């Protein structure tokens, strides 16, 4: 005898259905039982739904997508590294990872992420750009300490590229200020690489005993010799090599290496006084939490610091941040030490550099405003 039958029989013994009071009581008992049974049935349905949802979520996790947003000149490195990570992750986690990739000027990429480009990972030309994304509330503070090397995953130095045979006799930074030299470089307002270029020029004066007045005078002369500021470093390279513009080009050492690998004949000088160009990596916390792919995103970032990934960076021109890779004969010969190497920390860090040189109305804008037309 089930619960319904037992309760009904007990109610019939106590109540007289031929009276109005008994009829009402029987009606109420029946209604309560109906509600109780319906509640039990609903609870069972709820459990079934939860199980189905969990199964579906598990199935979706078999395929994970990451969006990588990076500055222009890292494309060749990432295209070599990503397949290695995908294969490794599949073997170890039985998950298929696919990547959406976006490359462009570091400043432009930074603004795009802040404006809604849902990057899971950002690899930018300078820590100042990453800090802007942090200040916009998308990256949690302390991102520099979450991975090795203060999150600097790739690095380079500045190079001076000249025409074949170096007809203008360009050997040092100072030669870029000559009246008959035309220089190609990107715009510091849109390109992180170009901000490093600017800092390399400024640093070349300070490191050789000059003061800020002399640095301003020198950098102003150099930018007066720039016929056009390109959007990013890759466009600057194309303008110089493909379009034949300019007598000299400032660019990353890695771009020179890559150009040579593509068959270009490159005449380049790595000045003895230089700047360490450090590029950070970070997980965009707000977006990975929204997309539910934090584990994979953090796994990819950590993979970039492994010797396997660092070798790929080194092959396309970046100086390896892993000592074991840097000390191998192949890369030690390829990337000899620079005699006098400045760092952005010597200028107060990127917040100070940005506020002093590149914020609206500051040094770079003042130089451009005085430029000869």
């Amino acid at each position: 005898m089930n619960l319904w039958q037992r309760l009904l029989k007990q109610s019939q013994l106590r109540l007289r259905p031929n009276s109005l009071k008994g009829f009402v009581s029987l009606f109420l008992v029946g209604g309560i039982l109906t509600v109780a049974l319906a509640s039990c049935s609903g609870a069972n349905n709820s459990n079934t739904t939860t199980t189905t949802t969990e199964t579906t979520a598990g199935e979706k996790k078999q395929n994970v997508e990451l969006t990588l947003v990076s500055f222009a000149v890292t494309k060749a490195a990432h295209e070599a590294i990503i397949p290695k990570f995908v294969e490794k992750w599949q073997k170890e986690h039985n998950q298929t990872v696919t990547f959406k990739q976006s490359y462009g000027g570091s400043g432009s990429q930074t603004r795009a992420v802040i404006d809604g480009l849902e990057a899971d990972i950002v690899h930018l030309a300078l820590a100042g750009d990453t800090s802007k994304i942090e200040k916009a509330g998308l990256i949690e503070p302390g991102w520099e300490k979450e991975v090795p090397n203060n999150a600097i995953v790739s690095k380079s130095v500045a190079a001076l590229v000249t025409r074949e045979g170096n007809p203008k006799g360009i050997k040092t930074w100072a030669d870029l200020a000559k009246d008959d030299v035309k220089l190609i470089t990107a715009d510091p307002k849109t390109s992180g690489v170009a901000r490093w270029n600017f800092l390399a020029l400024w640093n070349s004066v300070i490191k050789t005993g000059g003061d800020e007045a002399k640095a301003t005078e020198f950098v102003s002369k150099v930018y007066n010799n720039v016929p056009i500021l390109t959007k990013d470093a890759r466009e600057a390279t194309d303008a110089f090599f493909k379009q034949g513009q300019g007598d000299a080009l400032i660019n990353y050492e890695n771009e020179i290496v890559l150009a040579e690998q593509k068959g270009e004949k490159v005449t380049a000088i790595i000045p003895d006084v230089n700047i360490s160009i450090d590029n950070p990596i970070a997980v965009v916390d707000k977006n990975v939490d929204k997309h539910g792919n934090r584990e994979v995103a953090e796994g990819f970032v950590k993979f970039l610091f492994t010797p396997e990934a660092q070798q790929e960076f080194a092959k396309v021109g970046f100086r390896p941040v892993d000592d074991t890779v840097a000390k191998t004969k192949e890369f030690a010969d390829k990337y000899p030490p620079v005699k006098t190497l400045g760092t952005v920390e010597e200028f107060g860090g990127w917040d100070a550099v940005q506020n002093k040189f590149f914020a609206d109305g500051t040094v770079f804008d003042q130089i451009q405003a005085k430029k000869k037309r």
Side-chain angles (χ1 to χ4, degrees):
M1 186 180 290
N2 61 30
L3 176 62
W4 165 260
Q5 291 171 324
R6 288 201 305 272
L7 290 174
L8 183 58
K9 185 172 183 179
Q10 290 171 7
S11 66
Q12 287 173 335
L13 291 173
R14 293 195 304 269
L15 302 172
R16 296 174 58 193
N18 58 339
S19 69
L20 177 61
K21 183 177 180 182
F23 176 81
V24 171
S25 297
L26 278 173
F27 178 81
L28 291 174
V29 170
I32 291 168
L33 287 169
T34 301
V35 171
L37 290 170
S39 298
C40 291
S41 174
N44 288 336
N45 288 340
S46 177
N47 288 338
T48 301
T49 303
T50 301
T51 301
T52 301
T53 301
E54 289 173 353
T55 300
T56 302
E59 289 173 352
K60 287 181 179 177
K61 288 181 181 178
Q62 295 305 310
N63 297 296
V64 185
E65 183 177 81
L66 291 178
T67 298
L68 169 67
V69 173
S70 191
F71 61 108
V73 300
T74 65
K75 186 176 180 181
H78 282 302
E79 286 184 342
I81 293 168
I82 284 172
K84 293 179 180 293
F85 171 76
V86 169
E87 181 181 2
K88 179 180 174 67
W89 195 265
Q90 176 68 49
K91 287 180 180 178
E92 295 179 356
H93 299 269
N94 194 31
Q95 285 182 312
T96 299
V97 185
T98 57
F99 280 77
K100 286 184 176 178
Q101 301 170 61
S102 174
Y103 300 94
S106 188
S108 301
Q109 294 290 70
T110 299
R111 285 192 294 274
V113 172
I114 292 171
D115 291 342
L117 175 57
E118 293 191 1
D120 298 305
I121 300 160
V122 287
H123 181 189
L124 299 172
L126 44 93
D129 283 345
T130 314
S131 295
K132 289 178 184 178
I133 300 175
E134 176 192 334
K135 290 173 183 176
L138 298 176
I139 297 176
E140 293 295 326
W143 54 271
E144 307 97 321
K145 304 302 180 183
E146 292 179 359
V147 291
N149 202 39
N150 286 323
I152 302 302
V153 74
S154 60
K155 64 180 181 179
S156 192
V157 293
L160 290 177
V161 188
T162 69
R163 294 297 172 192
E164 187 175 359
N166 194 8
K168 293 294 178 75
I170 298 167
K171 296 179 180 179
T172 67
W173 295 110
D175 293 328
L176 299 178
K178 294 178 179 177
D179 290 339
D180 63 339
V181 171
K182 296 299 179 186
L183 173 69
I184 301 298
T185 184
D187 188 346
K189 291 287 191 176
T190 58
S191 168
V193 173
R195 270 169 271 179
W196 284 113
N197 293 351
F198 180 99
L199 205 58
L201 291 164
W202 187 275
N203 177 72
S204 72
V205 176
I206 301 301
K207 284 288 186 182
T208 52
D211 58 16
E212 291 199 352
K214 288 185 178 179
T216 301
E217 180 184 5
F218 169 68
V219 175
S220 296
K221 287 181 179 179
V222 172
Y223 277 92
N224 197 55
N225 289 342
V226 178
I228 183 172
L229 291 168
T230 63
K231 185 177 66 175
D232 58 42
R234 180 52 49 78
E235 286 190 6
T237 301
D238 288 345
F240 185 79
F241 285 110
K242 295 182 179 179
Q243 300 168 21
Q245 296 188 46
D247 304 302
L249 167 75
I250 307 178
N251 217 328
Y252 277 15
E253 177 186 41
N254 70 278
E255 280 289 89
I256 310 312
V257 174
L258 192 61
E260 289 173 336
Q261 290 175 351
K262 292 180 177 179
E264 299 279 357
K265 290 183 179 180
V266 184
T267 302
I269 303 107
I270 305 297
D272 288 337
V273 178
N274 218 306
I275 192 82
S276 181
I277 299 171
D278 301 329
N279 320 129
I281 191 90
V283 169
V284 185
D285 296 289
K286 187 173 182 179
N287 291 340
V288 297
D289 288 341
K290 177 182 178 180
H291 301 155
N293 57 8
R294 176 179 287 277
E295 181 185 11
V296 184
E298 290 180 345
F300 179 68
V301 169
K302 290 176 182 177
F303 180 73
L304 293 179
F305 289 92
T306 64
E308 185 178 6
Q310 283 297 309
Q311 287 173 7
E312 297 302 328
F313 277 117
K315 287 176 184 176
V316 295
F318 289 96
R319 296 189 168 220
V321 301
D322 182 275
D323 284 342
T324 60
V325 177
K327 291 176 181 178
T328 61
K329 180 171 174 48
E330 176 186 1
F331 299 123
D333 292 344
K334 192 172 185 177
Y335 304 112
V338 173
K339 184 178 179 181
T340 305
L341 193 65
T343 67
V344 71
E345 285 74 22
E346 294 172 348
F347 294 92
W350 272 110
D351 282 346
V353 169
Q354 176 67 26
N355 291 334
K356 180 173 183 175
F357 296 112
F358 307 119
D360 290 346
T362 57
V363 174
F364 181 74
D365 282 351
Q366 293 167 14
I367 288 172
Q368 286 298 96
K370 295 177 182 178
K371 187 174 178 179
K372 294 177 183 178
R373 300 297 177 187

